Amino acid sequence: MYHKCHFCGGKVSERKVTVDYCWEDDLITVIRDVLVGECDICGEQYFKADVVKAMEKTARFKQKPQAVLHVPVRELKVA
């Protein structure tokens, strides 16, 4: 059970999402089926502490991943 959204007061419902988990300076792990509380109105996401700990453990796991994505890296230049 989640509290109302801190930002808009909307109802927060539990969903499974895919998370781009950034760790260290230049590594990203994509983690699927992560339970999150998500506001039905504004989309703000709330992660429980045990889920965050599980994501950290998953991101640092040394075994071969299920898949590897090739992601382009670009730099934003504003004139």
Side-chain angles (χ1 to χ4, degrees):
M1 191 69 167
Y2 295 88
H3 296 284
K4 288 184 177 183
C5 179
H6 174 74
F7 295 98
C8 73
K11 180 183 174 197
V12 176
S13 302
E14 192 165 71
R15 295 184 173 84
K16 284 188 176 181
V17 297
T18 298
V19 174
D20 301 337
Y21 187 88
C22 300
W23 55 288
E24 297 183 3
D25 288 335
D26 58 353
L27 297 172
I28 299 173
T29 299
V30 177
I31 305 173
R32 296 181 180 142
D33 296 327
V34 177
L35 284 176
V36 64
E38 187 173 78
C39 178
D40 296 337
I41 296 173
C42 72
E44 183 67 25
Q45 294 181 332
Y46 299 90
F47 295 92
K48 293 182 178 178
D50 61 330
V51 172
V52 173
K53 287 179 185 178
M55 286 193 299
E56 288 173 353
K57 185 177 179 181
T58 300
R60 298 179 193 287
F61 198 58
K62 299 296 182 190
Q63 278 188 329
K64 182 179 176 182
Q66 292 173 326
V68 176
L69 303 173
H70 298 280
V71 180
V73 176
R74 293 185 168 74
E75 193 173 310
L76 178 63
K77 295 184 181 183
V78 180

